[in-house]
Amino acid sequence: MRIVAYEKLLNEIYAAVSLKYLWKEYKPCFIKSESPDWINETMDFGLEVSQALLPDDGQEESFIEQYLGCLKEELPPQAFEKYGDRLNFYNGRFWAILPDRAVQQDYLSKAKYRFDRKLEKLNTNYVQKRYNGLYLFLHPTDENDIDAGALFEYMRFTQENMKRRFDWVFLNCVKTIYVCNYRANTIEPIVLPKNAENFLNTEAEYLRYSHDWEDGMALDL
């Protein structure tokens, strides 16, 4: 199972790798960019990657960005007071903050909030491409409770009167990726084949730490 880690670049690479191998519309290749996170000149397509998080969740994201890979003793004492056993270490180094099982995870509210923010940015400061995509990590506590249809309709209605819209929204629910296609007004689940999750994790982590990811670098190296 994929650990919930708020490490921005790793998630961006995982998203691109998963679409490269599983999305039937994909054509090579993704190029690293900023606002949006990936550009695909062949498809005239921009892809932004994000997580379904509320503003408070961003504190954890910022903490992880700052201390990722640091030794346990390098973390500030208040981190252990605040996060406790949720701090995830491997080989003595900090890699993630695990979900708080005591807190109710309302994935729907988080997904709606994040979609609204990204739609606003699409219409203000993203590089303009003919087609636009948003890849959202939902982090559900139970994949069986995901109502992808409700999210599909919310996003369709929300961007109905916007000048620029997301043509595709990819909802990553760990073992299933829902492809919301607003060009065809369809939603299609991609159920990860057996062993695919481990393969994608391994590939993404290899790429993340094997290269310095500067703007203009291609995913297909």
Side-chain angles (χ1 to χ4, degrees), residues 45-79:
F45 175 68
L47 179 71
E48 177 71 3
V49 181
S50 188
Q51 302 185 69
L53 302 174
L54 294 175
D56 289 346
D57 298 321
Q59 296 178 9
E60 295 184 6
E61 186 175 6
S62 297
F63 180 87
I64 292 171
E65 290 285 339
Q66 182 176 356
Y67 293 103
L68 186 75
C70 288
L71 293 169
K72 189 172 185 176
E73 53 269 25
E74 294 175 338
L75 269 61
Q78 56 266 33

Side-chain angles (χ1 to χ4, degrees), residues 89-139:
F89 296 92
Y90 179 77
N91 197 28
R93 294 184 180 275
F94 169 68
W95 295 111
I97 296 177
L98 303 178
D100 187 350
R101 299 300 182 185
V103 176
Q104 182 66 31
Q105 299 292 318
D106 182 1
Y107 79 89
L108 192 59
S109 296
K110 293 183 177 186
K112 289 178 177 179
Y113 172 83
R114 188 55 53 189
F115 177 80
D116 291 349
R117 301 289 78 75
K118 292 301 181 180
L119 182 61
E120 180 182 353
K121 287 188 176 182
L122 176 66
N123 280 273
T124 54
N125 68 343
Y126 283 177
V127 173
Q128 294 192 13
K129 307 304 291 182
R130 183 176 180 184
Y131 303 112
N132 305 285
L134 174 64
Y135 192 110
L136 276 179
F137 290 94
L138 295 192
H139 305 310

Side-chain angles (χ1 to χ4, degrees), residues 134-152:
L134 174 64
Y135 192 110
L136 276 179
F137 290 94
L138 295 192
H139 305 310
T141 53
D142 184 353
E143 286 194 67
N144 295 322
D145 288 338
I146 289 292
D147 189 345
L151 268 177
F152 178 91

